[in-house]
PDB file of all heavy atoms in Angstrom:
ATOM      1  N   PRO Y 350     -55.447   6.082  -3.497  1.00 73.00           N
ATOM      2  CA  PRO Y 350     -54.492   6.971  -4.168  1.00 73.00           C
ATOM      3  C   PRO Y 350     -53.049   6.483  -4.054  1.00 73.00           C
ATOM      4  O   PRO Y 350     -52.267   6.618  -4.999  1.00 73.00           O
ATOM      5  CB  PRO Y 350     -54.678   8.309  -3.437  1.00 73.00           C
ATOM      6  CG  PRO Y 350     -56.028   8.229  -2.820  1.00 73.00           C
ATOM      7  CD  PRO Y 350     -56.211   6.799  -2.468  1.00 73.00           C
ATOM      8  N   LEU Y 351     -52.690   5.909  -2.889  1.00 79.00           N
ATOM      9  CA  LEU Y 351     -51.325   5.391  -2.720  1.00 79.00           C
ATOM     10  C   LEU Y 351     -51.070   4.235  -3.677  1.00 79.00           C
ATOM     11  O   LEU Y 351     -49.995   4.125  -4.273  1.00 79.00           O
ATOM     12  CB  LEU Y 351     -51.117   4.938  -1.273  1.00 79.00           C
ATOM     13  CG  LEU Y 351     -51.158   6.031  -0.210  1.00 79.00           C
ATOM     14  CD1 LEU Y 351     -51.013   5.427   1.184  1.00 79.00           C
ATOM     15  CD2 LEU Y 351     -50.054   7.061  -0.456  1.00 79.00           C
ATOM     16  N   LEU Y 352     -52.074   3.355  -3.817  1.00 79.00           N
ATOM     17  CA  LEU Y 352     -51.930   2.239  -4.758  1.00 79.00           C
ATOM     18  C   LEU Y 352     -51.779   2.755  -6.181  1.00 79.00           C
ATOM     19  O   LEU Y 352     -51.012   2.200  -6.976  1.00 79.00           O
ATOM     20  CB  LEU Y 352     -53.143   1.312  -4.650  1.00 79.00           C
ATOM     21  CG  LEU Y 352     -53.125   0.075  -5.554  1.00 79.00           C
ATOM     22  CD1 LEU Y 352     -51.920  -0.798  -5.249  1.00 79.00           C
ATOM     23  CD2 LEU Y 352     -54.422  -0.723  -5.387  1.00 79.00           C
ATOM     24  N   GLY Y 353     -52.508   3.830  -6.497  1.00 77.00           N
ATOM     25  CA  GLY Y 353     -52.384   4.423  -7.822  1.00 77.00           C
ATOM     26  C   GLY Y 353     -50.975   4.900  -8.099  1.00 77.00           C
ATOM     27  O   GLY Y 353     -50.442   4.720  -9.206  1.00 77.00           O
ATOM     28  N   VAL Y 354     -50.332   5.489  -7.093  1.00 81.00           N
ATOM     29  CA  VAL Y 354     -48.949   5.945  -7.251  1.00 81.00           C
ATOM     30  C   VAL Y 354     -48.024   4.764  -7.506  1.00 81.00           C
ATOM     31  O   VAL Y 354     -47.139   4.811  -8.380  1.00 81.00           O
ATOM     32  CB  VAL Y 354     -48.498   6.720  -5.993  1.00 81.00           C
ATOM     33  CG1 VAL Y 354     -47.008   7.027  -6.061  1.00 81.00           C
ATOM     34  CG2 VAL Y 354     -49.295   8.006  -5.850  1.00 81.00           C
ATOM     35  N   VAL Y 355     -48.223   3.680  -6.755  1.00 82.00           N
ATOM     36  CA  VAL Y 355     -47.377   2.489  -6.926  1.00 82.00           C
ATOM     37  C   VAL Y 355     -47.560   1.901  -8.320  1.00 82.00           C
ATOM     38  O   VAL Y 355     -46.591   1.524  -8.991  1.00 82.00           O
ATOM     39  CB  VAL Y 355     -47.712   1.443  -5.840  1.00 82.00           C
ATOM     40  CG1 VAL Y 355     -46.956   0.143  -6.107  1.00 82.00           C
ATOM     41  CG2 VAL Y 355     -47.355   1.976  -4.458  1.00 82.00           C
ATOM     42  N   ILE Y 356     -48.819   1.824  -8.764  1.00 79.00           N
ATOM     43  CA  ILE Y 356     -49.087   1.253 -10.088  1.00 79.00           C
ATOM     44  C   ILE Y 356     -48.507   2.134 -11.190  1.00 79.00           C
ATOM     45  O   ILE Y 356     -47.996   1.638 -12.196  1.00 79.00           O
ATOM     46  CB  ILE Y 356     -50.604   1.045 -10.273  1.00 79.00           C
ATOM     47  CG1 ILE Y 356     -51.051  -0.134  -9.397  1.00 79.00           C
ATOM     48  CG2 ILE Y 356     -50.964   0.797 -11.730  1.00 79.00           C
ATOM     49  CD1 ILE Y 356     -52.533  -0.384  -9.407  1.00 79.00           C
ATOM     50  N   ASP Y 357     -48.565   3.461 -11.001  1.00 79.00           N
ATOM     51  CA  ASP Y 357     -47.952   4.364 -11.975  1.00 79.00           C
ATOM     52  C   ASP Y 357     -46.449   4.123 -12.063  1.00 79.00           C
ATOM     53  O   ASP Y 357     -45.847   4.193 -13.151  1.00 79.00           O
ATOM     54  CB  ASP Y 357     -48.220   5.821 -11.590  1.00 79.00           C
ATOM     55  CG  ASP Y 357     -49.629   6.257 -11.944  1.00 79.00           C
ATOM     56  OD1 ASP Y 357     -50.268   5.577 -12.769  1.00 79.00           O
ATOM     57  OD2 ASP Y 357     -50.096   7.276 -11.386  1.00 79.00           O
ATOM     58  N   ALA Y 358     -45.831   3.841 -10.926  1.00 84.00           N
ATOM     59  CA  ALA Y 358     -44.382   3.627 -10.900  1.00 84.00           C
ATOM     60  C   ALA Y 358     -43.998   2.262 -11.479  1.00 84.00           C
ATOM     61  O   ALA Y 358     -42.905   2.102 -12.029  1.00 84.00           O
ATOM     62  CB  ALA Y 358     -43.866   3.739  -9.469  1.00 84.00           C
ATOM     63  N   LEU Y 359     -44.896   1.279 -11.351  1.00 84.00           N
ATOM     64  CA  LEU Y 359     -44.624  -0.065 -11.866  1.00 84.00           C
ATOM     65  C   LEU Y 359     -45.433  -0.286 -13.140  1.00 84.00           C
ATOM     66  O   LEU Y 359     -45.104   0.213 -14.191  1.00 84.00           O
ATOM     67  CB  LEU Y 359     -44.961  -1.106 -10.790  1.00 84.00           C
ATOM     68  CG  LEU Y 359     -44.187  -0.968  -9.470  1.00 84.00           C
ATOM     69  CD1 LEU Y 359     -44.715  -1.947  -8.434  1.00 84.00           C
ATOM     70  CD2 LEU Y 359     -42.702  -1.182  -9.703  1.00 84.00           C
ATOM     71  N   ASP Y 360     -46.519  -1.021 -13.008  1.00 83.00           N
ATOM     72  CA  ASP Y 360     -47.419  -1.296 -14.127  1.00 83.00           C
ATOM     73  C   ASP Y 360     -48.667  -1.916 -13.529  1.00 83.00           C
ATOM     74  O   ASP Y 360     -48.607  -2.561 -12.468  1.00 83.00           O
ATOM     75  CB  ASP Y 360     -46.767  -2.255 -15.121  1.00 83.00           C
ATOM     76  CG  ASP Y 360     -47.630  -2.466 -16.350  1.00 83.00           C
ATOM     77  OD1 ASP Y 360     -47.561  -1.636 -17.274  1.00 83.00           O
ATOM     78  OD2 ASP Y 360     -48.398  -3.447 -16.365  1.00 83.00           O
ATOM     79  N   VAL Y 361     -49.813  -1.733 -14.179  1.00 84.00           N
ATOM     80  CA  VAL Y 361     -51.048  -2.265 -13.625  1.00 84.00           C
ATOM     81  C   VAL Y 361     -51.002  -3.789 -13.537  1.00 84.00           C
ATOM     82  O   VAL Y 361     -51.715  -4.395 -12.727  1.00 84.00           O
ATOM     83  CB  VAL Y 361     -52.260  -1.793 -14.457  1.00 84.00           C
ATOM     84  CG1 VAL Y 361     -52.313  -2.508 -15.807  1.00 84.00           C
ATOM     85  CG2 VAL Y 361     -53.564  -2.025 -13.691  1.00 84.00           C
ATOM     86  N   LYS Y 362     -50.153  -4.416 -14.359  1.00 88.00           N
ATOM     87  CA  LYS Y 362     -50.015  -5.868 -14.274  1.00 88.00           C
ATOM     88  C   LYS Y 362     -49.418  -6.308 -12.937  1.00 88.00           C
ATOM     89  O   LYS Y 362     -49.522  -7.483 -12.564  1.00 88.00           O
ATOM     90  CB  LYS Y 362     -49.157  -6.388 -15.426  1.00 88.00           C
ATOM     91  CG  LYS Y 362     -49.819  -6.265 -16.798  1.00 88.00           C
ATOM     92  CD  LYS Y 362     -48.915  -6.820 -17.891  1.00 88.00           C
ATOM     93  CE  LYS Y 362     -49.581  -6.677 -19.261  1.00 88.00           C
ATOM     94  NZ  LYS Y 362     -48.725  -7.187 -20.348  1.00 88.00           N
ATOM     95  N   ALA Y 363     -48.799  -5.367 -12.243  1.00 88.00           N
ATOM     96  CA  ALA Y 363     -48.215  -5.686 -10.935  1.00 88.00           C
ATOM     97  C   ALA Y 363     -49.235  -5.656  -9.810  1.00 88.00           C
ATOM     98  O   ALA Y 363     -48.904  -5.944  -8.656  1.00 88.00           O
ATOM     99  CB  ALA Y 363     -47.084  -4.711 -10.623  1.00 88.00           C
ATOM    100  N   LEU Y 364     -50.491  -5.299 -10.119  1.00 89.00           N
ATOM    101  CA  LEU Y 364     -51.521  -5.169  -9.085  1.00 89.00           C
ATOM    102  C   LEU Y 364     -51.613  -6.387  -8.171  1.00 89.00           C
ATOM    103  O   LEU Y 364     -51.519  -6.249  -6.937  1.00 89.00           O
ATOM    104  CB  LEU Y 364     -52.879  -4.883  -9.726  1.00 89.00           C
ATOM    105  CG  LEU Y 364     -54.086  -4.889  -8.771  1.00 89.00           C
ATOM    106  CD1 LEU Y 364     -54.030  -3.687  -7.827  1.00 89.00           C
ATOM    107  CD2 LEU Y 364     -55.397  -4.886  -9.553  1.00 89.00           C
ATOM    108  N   PRO Y 365     -51.801  -7.615  -8.702  1.00 93.00           N
ATOM    109  CA  PRO Y 365     -51.929  -8.752  -7.783  1.00 93.00           C
ATOM    110  C   PRO Y 365     -50.680  -9.006  -6.960  1.00 93.00           C
ATOM    111  O   PRO Y 365     -50.775  -9.490  -5.827  1.00 93.00           O
ATOM    112  CB  PRO Y 365     -52.247  -9.929  -8.723  1.00 93.00           C
ATOM    113  CG  PRO Y 365     -51.838  -9.482 -10.081  1.00 93.00           C
ATOM    114  CD  PRO Y 365     -51.973  -8.005 -10.106  1.00 93.00           C
ATOM    115  N   VAL Y 366     -49.507  -8.675  -7.500  1.00 93.00           N
ATOM    116  CA  VAL Y 366     -48.260  -8.885  -6.752  1.00 93.00           C
ATOM    117  C   VAL Y 366     -48.183  -7.917  -5.568  1.00 93.00           C
ATOM    118  O   VAL Y 366     -47.826  -8.308  -4.453  1.00 93.00           O
ATOM    119  CB  VAL Y 366     -47.042  -8.706  -7.676  1.00 93.00           C
ATOM    120  CG1 VAL Y 366     -45.744  -8.853  -6.869  1.00 93.00           C
ATOM    121  CG2 VAL Y 366     -47.073  -9.723  -8.802  1.00 93.00           C
ATOM    122  N   VAL Y 367     -48.526  -6.643  -5.820  1.00 91.00           N
ATOM    123  CA  VAL Y 367     -48.515  -5.647  -4.746  1.00 91.00           C
ATOM    124  C   VAL Y 367     -49.505  -6.038  -3.657  1.00 91.00           C
ATOM    125  O   VAL Y 367     -49.188  -6.005  -2.452  1.00 91.00           O
ATOM    126  CB  VAL Y 367     -48.855  -4.248  -5.308  1.00 91.00           C
ATOM    127  CG1 VAL Y 367     -48.999  -3.244  -4.165  1.00 91.00           C
ATOM    128  CG2 VAL Y 367     -47.774  -3.790  -6.279  1.00 91.00           C
ATOM    129  N   LEU Y 368     -50.709  -6.432  -4.048  1.00 94.00           N
ATOM    130  CA  LEU Y 368     -51.724  -6.803  -3.061  1.00 94.00           C
ATOM    131  C   LEU Y 368     -51.362  -8.124  -2.369  1.00 94.00           C
ATOM    132  O   LEU Y 368     -51.700  -8.321  -1.196  1.00 94.00           O
ATOM    133  CB  LEU Y 368     -53.091  -6.909  -3.741  1.00 94.00           C
ATOM    134  CG  LEU Y 368     -53.634  -5.596  -4.329  1.00 94.00           C
ATOM    135  CD1 LEU Y 368     -55.018  -5.816  -4.944  1.00 94.00           C
ATOM    136  CD2 LEU Y 368     -53.693  -4.499  -3.275  1.00 94.00           C
ATOM    137  N   PHE Y 369     -50.680  -9.023  -3.082  1.00 96.00           N
ATOM    138  CA  PHE Y 369     -50.210 -10.262  -2.465  1.00 96.00           C
ATOM    139  C   PHE Y 369     -49.259  -9.957  -1.308  1.00 96.00           C
ATOM    140  O   PHE Y 369     -49.302 -10.611  -0.261  1.00 96.00           O
ATOM    141  CB  PHE Y 369     -49.514 -11.138  -3.505  1.00 96.00           C
ATOM    142  CG  PHE Y 369     -48.758 -12.303  -2.920  1.00 96.00           C
ATOM    143  CD1 PHE Y 369     -49.424 -13.439  -2.482  1.00 96.00           C
ATOM    144  CD2 PHE Y 369     -47.375 -12.244  -2.783  1.00 96.00           C
ATOM    145  CE1 PHE Y 369     -48.728 -14.510  -1.931  1.00 96.00           C
ATOM    146  CE2 PHE Y 369     -46.679 -13.305  -2.239  1.00 96.00           C
ATOM    147  CZ  PHE Y 369     -47.350 -14.441  -1.813  1.00 96.00           C
ATOM    148  N   ALA Y 370     -48.414  -8.951  -1.490  1.00 94.00           N
ATOM    149  CA  ALA Y 370     -47.486  -8.574  -0.414  1.00 94.00           C
ATOM    150  C   ALA Y 370     -48.248  -8.108   0.819  1.00 94.00           C
ATOM    151  O   ALA Y 370     -47.906  -8.466   1.960  1.00 94.00           O
ATOM    152  CB  ALA Y 370     -46.543  -7.480  -0.904  1.00 94.00           C
ATOM    153  N   LEU Y 371     -49.309  -7.320   0.608  1.00 94.00           N
ATOM    154  CA  LEU Y 371     -50.129  -6.878   1.739  1.00 94.00           C
ATOM    155  C   LEU Y 371     -50.815  -8.063   2.410  1.00 94.00           C
ATOM    156  O   LEU Y 371     -50.908  -8.135   3.640  1.00 94.00           O
ATOM    157  CB  LEU Y 371     -51.168  -5.862   1.260  1.00 94.00           C
ATOM    158  CG  LEU Y 371     -50.643  -4.571   0.629  1.00 94.00           C
ATOM    159  CD1 LEU Y 371     -51.805  -3.647   0.272  1.00 94.00           C
ATOM    160  CD2 LEU Y 371     -49.670  -3.856   1.561  1.00 94.00           C
ATOM    161  N   ALA Y 372     -51.307  -8.999   1.596  1.00 95.00           N
ATOM    162  CA  ALA Y 372     -51.965 -10.186   2.155  1.00 95.00           C
ATOM    163  C   ALA Y 372     -50.974 -11.023   2.958  1.00 95.00           C
ATOM    164  O   ALA Y 372     -51.342 -11.627   3.977  1.00 95.00           O
ATOM    165  CB  ALA Y 372     -52.584 -11.019   1.037  1.00 95.00           C
ATOM    166  N   GLY Y 373     -49.721 -11.056   2.505  1.00 96.00           N
ATOM    167  CA  GLY Y 373     -48.707 -11.784   3.253  1.00 96.00           C
ATOM    168  C   GLY Y 373     -48.472 -11.193   4.629  1.00 96.00           C
ATOM    169  O   GLY Y 373     -48.315 -11.923   5.623  1.00 96.00           O
ATOM    170  N   VAL Y 374     -48.478  -9.854   4.710  1.00 95.00           N
ATOM    171  CA  VAL Y 374     -48.347  -9.201   6.016  1.00 95.00           C
ATOM    172  C   VAL Y 374     -49.548  -9.536   6.891  1.00 95.00           C
ATOM    173  O   VAL Y 374     -49.416  -9.803   8.092  1.00 95.00           O
ATOM    174  CB  VAL Y 374     -48.200  -7.677   5.850  1.00 95.00           C
ATOM    175  CG1 VAL Y 374     -48.139  -6.996   7.215  1.00 95.00           C
ATOM    176  CG2 VAL Y 374     -46.952  -7.341   5.045  1.00 95.00           C
ATOM    177  N   CYS Y 375     -50.745  -9.533   6.288  1.00 95.00           N
ATOM    178  CA  CYS Y 375     -51.959  -9.913   7.027  1.00 95.00           C
ATOM    179  C   CYS Y 375     -51.826 -11.319   7.596  1.00 95.00           C
ATOM    180  O   CYS Y 375     -52.207 -11.584   8.739  1.00 95.00           O
ATOM    181  CB  CYS Y 375     -53.182  -9.862   6.090  1.00 95.00           C
ATOM    182  SG  CYS Y 375     -54.131  -8.351   6.201  1.00 95.00           S
ATOM    183  N   LEU Y 376     -51.300 -12.221   6.791  1.00 96.00           N
ATOM    184  CA  LEU Y 376     -51.147 -13.609   7.232  1.00 96.00           C
ATOM    185  C   LEU Y 376     -50.178 -13.699   8.409  1.00 96.00           C
ATOM    186  O   LEU Y 376     -50.433 -14.404   9.390  1.00 96.00           O
ATOM    187  CB  LEU Y 376     -50.669 -14.471   6.068  1.00 96.00           C
ATOM    188  CG  LEU Y 376     -50.515 -15.971   6.339  1.00 96.00           C
ATOM    189  CD1 LEU Y 376     -51.832 -16.579   6.792  1.00 96.00           C
ATOM    190  CD2 LEU Y 376     -49.993 -16.690   5.099  1.00 96.00           C
ATOM    191  N   LEU Y 377     -49.075 -12.969   8.332  1.00 96.00           N
ATOM    192  CA  LEU Y 377     -48.124 -12.957   9.447  1.00 96.00           C
ATOM    193  C   LEU Y 377     -48.768 -12.398  10.713  1.00 96.00           C
ATOM    194  O   LEU Y 377     -48.569 -12.931  11.820  1.00 96.00           O
ATOM    195  CB  LEU Y 377     -46.891 -12.136   9.073  1.00 96.00           C
ATOM    196  CG  LEU Y 377     -45.984 -12.719   7.978  1.00 96.00           C
ATOM    197  CD1 LEU Y 377     -44.866 -11.737   7.652  1.00 96.00           C
ATOM    198  CD2 LEU Y 377     -45.414 -14.065   8.421  1.00 96.00           C
ATOM    199  N   LEU Y 378     -49.550 -11.337  10.573  1.00 95.00           N
ATOM    200  CA  LEU Y 378     -50.241 -10.763  11.729  1.00 95.00           C
ATOM    201  C   LEU Y 378     -51.244 -11.755  12.313  1.00 95.00           C
ATOM    202  O   LEU Y 378     -51.416 -11.832  13.534  1.00 95.00           O
ATOM    203  CB  LEU Y 378     -50.960  -9.471  11.329  1.00 95.00           C
ATOM    204  CG  LEU Y 378     -50.057  -8.260  11.055  1.00 95.00           C
ATOM    205  CD1 LEU Y 378     -50.890  -7.101  10.501  1.00 95.00           C
ATOM    206  CD2 LEU Y 378     -49.324  -7.821  12.322  1.00 95.00           C
TER     207      LEU Y 378
END
Side-chain angles (χ1 to χ4, degrees):
L351 294 177
L352 181 60
V354 172
V355 173
I356 288 176
D357 282 342
L359 301 174
D360 185 84
V361 73
K362 291 181 181 179
L364 173 69
V366 177
V367 174
L368 296 182
F369 168 77
L371 299 183
V374 177
C375 263
L376 183 59
L377 292 176
L378 288 173

